[in-house]
Amino acid sequence: MAAGHPRSRTIVVVRHAKAEDAAATDQVRELTERGRADATAVGELLSEMLDPDAETAALVSSATRARQTWRIAAGELDVPVEERELEELYAAGGDEVVDLLALLPDEIEVAIVVGHNPAMEALVHQLDNGDDDELSTQLSGRGLPTAGVAVLELEGPWSGLEPASCRLVRLEVGRG
């Protein structure tokens, strides 16, 4: 890589898979049978996408359904991923998630964020610069349903992450 040339980074936004409708608290809602199957499918998709040589970190909400989604998906991966369970992702908005991503060290090339709507969908809308009108329109029309995956590319360092700084390059809307 030439000196001064910005390194590309990837953000993979994952909305947790289908969870039970009710539990003692919202934070402890578990995945349904369909949710577990969808989390496996997310893992298979990630396995196809992730570069085994890229330094990868997963930022995972502390809510049970997000942790379960990640653990099932991670079970399908053959690449090392540094997991960071973050309490603040549970109730975060898009701005707070951007702030968390901006703190990642430079050696991290891929960040997987596993969380909840409306923050996950808002994050994608906020970061997408609109270069791919078809994907942007598809996201606006359908949103990011359960087990949905959006992939964005960032040119440059995590510290440069700000609204409209990324390009949406892939959208897998899951089963909803």
Side-chain angles (χ1 to χ4, degrees):
M1 178 181 337
H5 180 61
R7 193 166 84 197
S8 177
R9 291 186 167 64
T10 302
I11 303 168
V12 181
V13 179
V14 179
R15 182 175 174 206
H16 67 77
K18 181 71 175 160
E20 60 191 356
D21 291 332
T25 68
D26 183 65
Q27 184 126 7
V28 300
R29 288 174 43 216
E30 295 192 12
L31 294 182
T32 62
E33 183 176 329
R34 182 182 121 199
R36 289 188 292 279
D38 287 349
T40 299
V42 167
E44 291 167 352
L45 175 67
L46 293 176
S47 180
E48 295 170 10
M49 290 174 29
L50 294 178
D51 177 351
D53 296 324
E55 292 291 326
T56 303
L59 309 180
V60 183
S61 164
S62 61
T64 300
R65 60 195 179 275
R67 289 191 339 261
Q68 288 176 331
T69 298
W70 170 246
R71 298 242 165 76
I72 291 168
E76 300 297 317
L77 303 179
D78 291 328
V79 299
V81 178
E82 175 189 329
E83 180 183 331
R84 300 176 185 190
E85 185 179 310
L86 301 173
E87 180 76 31
E88 53 267 47
L89 270 178
Y90 173 68
D95 289 337
E96 291 89 359
V97 181
V98 168
D99 291 344
L100 291 168
L101 287 166
L103 295 173
L104 287 171
D106 286 339
E107 60 269 10
I108 299 296
E109 297 167 88
V110 178
I112 302 166
V113 183
V114 184
H116 316 270
N117 269 357
M120 296 301 95
E121 188 171 326
L123 176 67
V124 177
H125 282 293
Q126 185 175 344
L127 292 177
D128 178 24
N129 65 14
D131 278 355
D132 189 322
D133 289 338
E134 184 178 331
L135 285 177
S136 299
T137 300
Q138 184 180 1
L139 178 65
S140 294
R142 294 196 59 190
L144 193 61
T146 58
V149 176
V151 181
L152 299 117
E153 288 183 353
L154 169 69
E155 292 299 324
W158 294 110
S159 60
L161 192 61
E162 57 186 38
S165 61
C166 297
R167 182 171 64 96
L168 183 61
V169 295
R170 185 168 182 173
L171 182 63
E172 300 289 336
V173 294
R175 296 191 327 192

